[in-house]
Amino acid sequence: MAEVFFVGVDVGTASVRAALVTREGLIKSTAEKPISIWEPQSDHYVQSSNEIWEKCCAVVKEVTRGVERSQVQGLGFDATCSLVVLDQSFQPVPVTHEGDNQKNVVMWMDHRASEQAARITNTGHRVLSRVGGVMSPEMQPPKLLWLKENLKESCWNKAAHFFDLPDFLSWKATGSLTRSLCTLVCKWTFCPPEGWDVGFWSSIGLADLTESNFSKIGSATCSPGSPLGDGLTQEAAAELGLEPGTAVGASLIDAHAGGLGVIGADVKGFQLPCEDLPITTRMAVICGTSSCHMAVSEKPLFVPGVWGPCLSAMVPGLWLNEGGQSATGQLIDHMVKGHASYRQLLQKVHQSVSPTGGNIYCYLNQHLDSMANSGSAVDLLASSLHVWPDFHGNRSPLADPNMKGMVIGLSLSQTLDDLALLYLATVQALALGTLHILEAMKESGHDIRTLFLCGGLSKNPLFVQIHSNATGLPVVLPDQTEAVLVGASILGACASQNNTTIHEAMARMARAGKVVQPDQRLVSFYQKKYKVFMRLMDHQREYQTIMSQS
């Protein structure tokens, strides 16, 4: 009997990836292609939906090369929560002042709509209770309002379809306009079972989106992993190199796919505090360019500054709360590459005979080890250097996109040692930011016992260990390092009816790999570091208040 496979496709911030995955969740092959990002002006980030789809087709063809088409029984997509704009003929509509039709995607990290987001927050509308009380410029309503107010002739009046990027991909594959509850609930204010709130859209100046039963933003919805249409259309199947009719599951936002790929993992034998408890005691942290902190609950829990509760947005039947940090991998890169000793670091990495593979972060981790005294923890090296990490605003739990970053403890020295210490202090600040989100969730009723990390930063052992040390919780790493791709493939497995439910697919395809325990010697150190972290928060907010009054 021929082996059965599923394909998971992940559209991240800067690349498209695909994986061929077995019914047991083992990745057989992967492929990756870069995608373009344009920044036409400050805080504006745009992409091309045509280019993204072309790259999706390329990576799917690559990972399925060598297997019979009939062996691929399901396909699932995840993507960043970016906004795609198409006209009545489903052709791209430009989202920039320059009017380039190919640039028709407002990226998730685009903060052009900060002023519109603030106005929406000031309405105090009831839907805001589902997004932590504050509308983020990374959500779709403020972006839509910005397009109407700033590009009415060139974009708004021509637009007939507004998609979250994950839903755009499933539409391209199947022709189905049914949207995933994941996208609509998390980023568009849709609230099942009631649905869209007409009063909300009218109150913010977007009543025109309520016409024709909300046809421009989605009339029909379904849970993630539900089969869409009749599967792959003839055209999409030809472009992807798969059989027409291949099942396609309703999509997920990329972070939620990562959550699906880890949070339900079997942990028997690892002696973890969550072993005999429900998955509501777990938090999935998907850490890459940005980070998302996903926790589920059986009842709706309202956490100030944290998105949700969202019913069935990740795991059907459970309520999702989503915290996050707008810049994590992006912040680390910014701090390291902007340092005066960055060129020296590149030279050292190039000259190194150690097996770093040219990875600057592997080298920095080794350099920090060499700086630490024998038997002393690397963490202690940054006892006098502190970072407030909100260089791109605070997503959670302050929900303040206007927050700025801060570094305390700098000297005139600009050596490679100083660069390594700044890198260390930045990683610590990000871990303390996770602790800040954890504390907010616990105060509102969550009982988190274990962290499950995936994404690019989870491959950095220093980042993982410091997250465990700072939070005091064990960290589980997935058996398959590309957990986001496993999560996307779970959607295809569910749609193909090889698994009857998402829960069943998670139990079969997600598995724990390595467990990292906190270093108990560092408890008091991180307690002190967290006090400094919170003081930095107070100072930064005070500075903002003072300057806003002048």
Side-chain angles (χ1 to χ4, degrees):
M1 184 175 178
E3 189 173 7
V4 170
F5 297 104
F6 308 103
V7 173
V9 181
D10 165 53
V11 180
T13 299
S15 68
V16 175
R17 303 181 304 149
L20 185 68
V21 184
T22 69
R23 68 167 80 219
E24 290 76 31
L26 300 176
I27 294 178
K28 303 296 287 187
S29 62
T30 61
E32 183 172 5
K33 299 287 184 183
I35 49 179
S36 304
I37 299 173
W38 294 279
E39 188 181 2
Q41 58 192 88
S42 179
D43 271 345
H44 290 223
Y45 297 94
V46 298
Q47 291 182 312
S48 163
S49 65
N50 280 347
E51 181 194 14
I52 289 169
W53 177 250
E54 289 169 5
K55 297 296 176 69
C56 286
C57 295
V59 292
V60 170
K61 284 181 176 178
E62 189 171 334
V63 298
T64 56
R65 190 178 297 129
V67 301
E68 294 294 326
R69 292 185 176 188
S70 60
Q71 290 179 265
V72 180
Q73 296 192 0
L75 178 66
F77 293 95
D78 74 74
T80 63
C81 52
S82 300
L83 176 66
V84 182
V85 186
L86 304 179
D87 65 15
Q88 191 67 45
S89 302
F90 294 95
Q91 296 303 306
V93 176
V95 295
T96 67
H97 290 288
E98 293 78 8
D100 183 346
N101 282 354
Q102 291 306 306
K103 297 173 182 177
N104 70 314
V105 180
V106 183
M107 290 185 69
W108 67 269
M109 62 183 184
D110 186 303
H111 280 197
R112 71 178 71 180
S114 292
E115 190 268 331
Q116 286 76 12
R119 269 193 276 143
I120 294 172
T121 296
N122 289 336
T123 67
H125 197 278
R126 62 187 177 186
V127 302
L128 297 173
S129 67
R130 304 274 178 184
V131 294
V134 178
M135 178 59 66
S136 168
E138 295 177 12
M139 292 185 172
Q140 308 304 7
K143 291 176 180 175
L144 292 164
L145 185 57
W146 188 95
L147 292 175
K148 182 176 182 178
E149 293 178 345
N150 294 273
L151 298 176
K152 190 166 186 177
E153 297 298 323
S154 62
C155 176
W156 189 259
N157 291 343
K158 296 178 180 179
H161 303 279
F162 296 102
F163 288 98
D164 218 272
L165 182 54
D167 290 321
F168 165 80
L169 297 173
S170 58
W171 165 75
K172 282 290 287 186
T174 67
S176 173
L177 291 172
T178 299
R179 315 299 177 96
S180 170
L181 279 174
C182 176
T183 58
L184 292 194
V185 173
C186 293
K187 307 299 175 186
W188 296 71
T189 73
F190 187 87
C191 183
E194 296 87 358
W196 295 112
D197 190 311
V198 175
F200 168 71
W201 294 99
S202 299
S203 72
I204 66 171
L206 293 177
D208 36 348
L209 293 180
T210 69
E211 298 170 1
S212 303
N213 192 27
F214 294 89
S215 62
K216 289 186 177 182
I217 59 175
S219 302
T221 64
C222 65
S223 295
S226 301
L228 293 174
D230 296 320
L232 287 180
T233 63
Q234 291 279 350
E235 181 181 2
E239 292 176 324
L240 291 161
L242 298 174
E243 287 286 339
T246 300
V248 178
S251 57
L252 283 169
I253 298 167
D254 54 349
H256 301 63
L260 204 64
V262 295
I263 203 167
D266 181 2
V267 296
K268 285 185 174 61
F270 286 96
Q271 288 79 50
L272 288 166
C274 66
E275 180 173 333
D276 297 317
L277 297 172
I279 62 172
T280 54
T281 60
R282 307 176 180 193
M283 175 185 278
V285 183
I286 299 85
C287 39
T289 304
S290 63
S291 286
C292 295
H293 301 70
M294 325 288 280
V296 292
S297 59
E298 294 180 357
K299 297 179 180 180
L301 298 175
F302 292 84
V303 187
V306 171
W307 297 339
C310 304
L311 181 61
S312 299
M314 184 172 75
V315 181
L318 294 178
W319 296 86
L320 172 71
N321 281 114
E322 178 188 355
Q325 294 162 301
S326 293
T328 45
Q330 184 185 28
L331 177 62
I332 294 171
D333 286 345
H334 174 78
M335 300 295 265
V336 170
K337 294 179 180 180
H339 196 274
S341 292
Y342 179 60
R343 286 185 178 275
Q344 183 186 358
L345 171 63
L346 292 179
Q347 292 173 352
K348 291 285 187 180
V349 171
H350 181 70
Q351 297 167 359
S352 175
V353 294
S354 61
T356 61
N359 185 304
I360 59 174
Y361 297 111
C362 288
Y363 184 90
L364 284 171
N365 291 350
Q366 293 176 359
H367 189 79
L368 287 167
D369 283 335
S370 69
M371 290 173 63
N373 294 326
S374 178
S376 178
V378 163
D379 310 53
L380 303 176
L381 292 170
S383 59
S384 299
L385 185 61
H386 310 283
V387 174
W388 178 258
D390 291 332
F391 284 50
H392 197 53
N394 182 285
R395 187 187 300 167
S396 307
L398 304 180
D400 184 352
N402 298 314
M403 286 289 281
K404 303 298 180 186
M406 183 187 299
V407 182
I408 299 293
L410 292 175
S411 70
L412 285 175
S413 178
Q414 294 183 325
T415 66
L416 186 56
D417 284 359
D418 296 304
L419 168 53
L421 290 177
L422 184 60
Y423 159 66
L424 173 60
T426 302
V427 172
Q428 290 178 336
L430 294 170
L432 292 171
T434 292
L435 177 59
H436 196 196
I437 293 167
L438 268 171
E439 292 295 316
M441 287 192 173
K442 287 179 179 179
E443 287 177 10
S444 295
H446 281 282
D447 179 22
I448 308 298
R449 309 287 187 90
T450 310
L451 301 182
F452 289 69
L453 263 62
C454 66
L457 286 174
S458 69
K459 300 172 187 177
N460 182 334
L462 182 74
F463 184 90
V464 174
Q465 185 64 63
I466 288 178
H467 263 71
S468 182
N469 294 346
T471 63
L473 297 177
V475 171
V476 178
L477 298 176
D479 175 63
Q480 302 294 293
T481 56
E482 303 297 346
V484 175
L485 288 168
V486 173
S489 71
I490 285 174
L491 301 173
C494 193
S496 72
Q497 299 182 343
N498 273 265
N499 296 277
T500 56
T501 66
I502 287 286
H503 297 271
E504 181 184 321
M506 281 196 302
R508 173 182 285 181
M509 299 176 71
R511 5 174 108 89
K514 180 181 178 182
V515 172
V516 175
Q517 296 286 353
D519 186 338
Q520 296 301 324
R521 299 174 301 167
L522 296 170
V523 171
S524 62
F525 171 76
Y526 278 106
Q527 288 175 343
K528 294 176 183 177
K529 194 91 174 172
Y530 189 60
K531 287 182 180 179
V532 174
F533 183 83
M534 298 303 286
R535 288 289 296 276
L536 291 180
M537 176 193 74
D538 291 338
H539 287 313
Q540 183 60 262
R541 301 182 89 176
E542 182 183 357
Y543 299 155
Q544 285 184 223
T545 301
I546 292 171
M547 294 309 297
S548 67
Q549 295 171 345
S550 60

